[in-house]
Amino acid sequence: MSRLNIHELAPEVYKAFVQADKELRKGPLDDAVRELVKIRASQINGCLYCIDQHIHEALHHGETQDRIFQLPGWRESELYTDAERAALDYTEAATRQPDGVSDEVWDAVTAAFKPEEAAYLVAQVAHINLWNRIGATMHMRPPKRG
């Protein structure tokens, strides 16, 4: 059971978070990139609820099980594009230490993504980290499935 329900106790704040998510989904980031960075940040942050949710969303958007299985070891995997690798590298750096995004990591992002896409990537990584801080600290649990 969750420690508290932010949806009920701070409904306007929760609505703003959900609205930001809706706007991010309308943006230029590819569905695969968007879901991969959500899963990877959630894995790093230990947010079980978000890991579960975003794996299911990725599968719904056509992501393959093999790519999800190999995501924790994406650097060694041959299943990811250069753009996905740049996004995952940025995600890990920004999630682990926000001021730790090196010029090398950022240069890979700007080489792989148009400026608007890069902006949405930055916003998406920040947003999933926000949700992870809520889900993990409040001990949210995913629904029990089959």
Side-chain angles (χ1 to χ4, degrees), residues 125-137:
V125 171
H127 195 66
I128 190 57
N129 276 286
L130 173 147
W131 281 119
N132 290 164
R133 297 310 186 267
I134 294 169
T137 62

Side-chain angles (χ1 to χ4, degrees), residues 70-87:
Q70 292 184 25
L71 189 54
W74 65 268
R75 282 183 175 82
E76 292 78 30
S77 175
E78 297 177 355
L79 300 181
Y80 303 96
T81 67
D82 289 342
E84 290 165 342
R85 289 174 180 286

Side-chain angles (χ1 to χ4, degrees), residues 97-116:
Q97 185 176 351
D99 66 350
V101 177
S102 69
D103 289 340
E104 180 182 24
V105 169
W106 185 247
D107 290 346
V109 168
T110 59
F113 295 97
K114 296 175 185 170
E116 184 184 21

